[in-house]
Structures are given as C-alpha cells and as structure tokens.
Amino acid sequence: GTGVAQDKPEAARWYRMAADQGLVDAQTSLGVCYAGGIGVAKNAAEAVRWWRLAADQGDVDAQFNIGMCYARGAGVAQDAA
C-alpha cells in the first residue's frame, strides 16, 4: 500500500462499505476480490452478484466479467447454446 501497510482483507472491507452504498467502482472491485479470493473467501457466485449490481448501473467492466462467467460457467449456470 501507499502510506499504509498492504492489507487485502481491510481493502475488501472498505470496498464493501462503498459498494453497499451503491458506488459502482467499488461494486466492480469487490466482485474482483470475490472472484480471485483477494481479502475474502473465493466465491464466484458472490462475484457475479456484485458485478451484476455494477453492470445494472452501466459498468462495462462488470458487464464483461459477467459475460466471461457465463462463458466459463463460473458463479452462474453455464449455457453452451
């Protein structure tokens, strides 16, 4: 970290506070945390949940991440059709 010791669980906690208030960048970042197990337990479904909130606000990165999840069947039901 810059100015503070690196602490991934603490970072995820701060992302969560902002995400709970609807900040789209925090929702997307929190999804990344859940997808990669960064500061939180890895949970693809929880990543998709946060990305969906951000995607619904027009965040293109979150929309892309959800598309990748559907393509891989990670955190969502895979549809090979």
Side-chain angles (χ1 to χ4, degrees):
T2 303
V4 297
Q6 186 177 36
D7 185 337
K8 292 177 183 180
E10 185 67 5
R13 187 178 78 82
W14 283 98
Y15 285 145
R16 177 65 181 255
M17 284 192 289
D20 283 339
Q21 295 179 64
L23 183 66
V24 68
D25 290 338
Q27 291 169 339
T28 300
S29 294
L30 191 55
V32 170
C33 289
Y34 277 105
I38 302 167
V40 294
K42 191 172 184 176
N43 184 329
E46 190 68 5
V48 170
R49 185 176 84 80
W50 285 106
W51 286 333
R52 193 172 304 279
L53 290 171
D56 287 346
Q57 295 182 68
D59 187 90
V60 296
D61 292 323
Q63 293 166 354
F64 174 82
N65 290 342
I66 291 171
M68 292 300 295
C69 287
Y70 275 104
R72 296 177 179 157
V76 295
Q78 190 173 18
D79 182 358

